[in-house]
Amino acid sequence: MPKATDDRSTDILPDPVANVRRALTEAGARDTVTVLTDKVPTAAAAAAALGCDVAAITNSLVFELDGAPLLILASGAAKVDVRLVASQLGGGKIRRAAPDFVLHHTGQEVGGVAPVGHPERIKTLLDESLKNHDLLWAGAGDHNSMFSITYQDLQRITAAKEMPVR
């Protein structure tokens, strides 16, 4: 298992990770940010590094919905069905956002996007299948950082709309 640092100082963290840590604590969530020595840009890599089920990894996937960002928090074991999501939202065209669009709206690079810590609130959907796990892991702003959280706290701090996404 890769080594992790447990320094709680935001002074040594990259800005996107410090923003995530700040957003978590300001929302009343525990600061569980873990910085791994190896990059974990995929759900499979994160699950292997953390020793958890890939389905407990919460991918923060940014889509473009009629020109606006849409953040879908999906299980690492799921492939988002954009047609299903669009129909549940009442229509509109959903497509995967380009990396520069993601960076502009989240302040974070693809592969390290977190559910929180963005410059402005983004409309967010939460994959209901994540309820099946006592503890979830999500990206914390870069390719080396993750944080743990319960489904209930994740829904609370993101104000995400719960729905099936696959």
Side-chain angles (χ1 to χ4, degrees):
M1 179 179 278
K3 293 180 184 173
T5 63
D6 194 27
D7 188 340
R8 296 293 177 202
S9 168
T10 56
D11 296 335
I12 62 168
L13 294 174
D15 286 345
V17 180
N19 291 341
V20 170
R21 179 172 276 164
R22 191 174 311 107
L24 287 170
T25 58
E26 286 175 0
R30 287 189 27 236
D31 174 5
T32 59
V33 171
T34 301
V35 180
L36 303 165
T37 55
D38 294 327
K39 290 184 177 186
V40 289
T42 66
L50 296 165
C52 69
D53 186 337
V54 72
I57 300 295
T58 304
N59 283 332
S60 298
L61 306 172
V62 179
F63 292 85
E64 195 172 335
L65 172 61
D66 298 330
L70 173 67
L71 178 62
I72 299 179
L73 306 177
S75 168
K79 179 169 173 31
V80 173
D81 181 341
V82 293
R83 288 188 195 138
L84 172 66
V85 172
S87 71
Q88 292 177 91
L89 293 177
K93 181 176 177 160
I94 298 175
R95 64 184 179 105
R96 187 70 86 125
D100 59 336
F101 183 92
V102 173
L103 183 60
H104 173 76
H105 288 284
T106 67
Q108 304 158 0
E109 294 180 1
V110 171
V113 175
V116 296
H118 314 134
E120 294 182 22
R121 186 171 287 278
I122 298 172
K123 180 177 184 168
T124 305
L125 306 177
L126 181 57
D127 179 355
E128 289 179 341
S129 76
L130 290 167
K131 281 183 189 176
N132 298 327
H133 303 279
D134 293 333
L135 189 67
L136 303 172
W137 286 91
D142 71 7
H143 292 146
N144 291 76
S145 304
M146 301 288 292
F147 71 92
S148 61
I149 193 163
T150 65
Y151 180 89
Q152 293 77 16
D153 277 346
L154 183 59
Q155 196 283 323
R156 179 183 60 79
I157 69 171
T158 61
K161 180 178 180 176
E162 300 170 272
M163 69 171 49
V165 301
R166 56 181 170 152

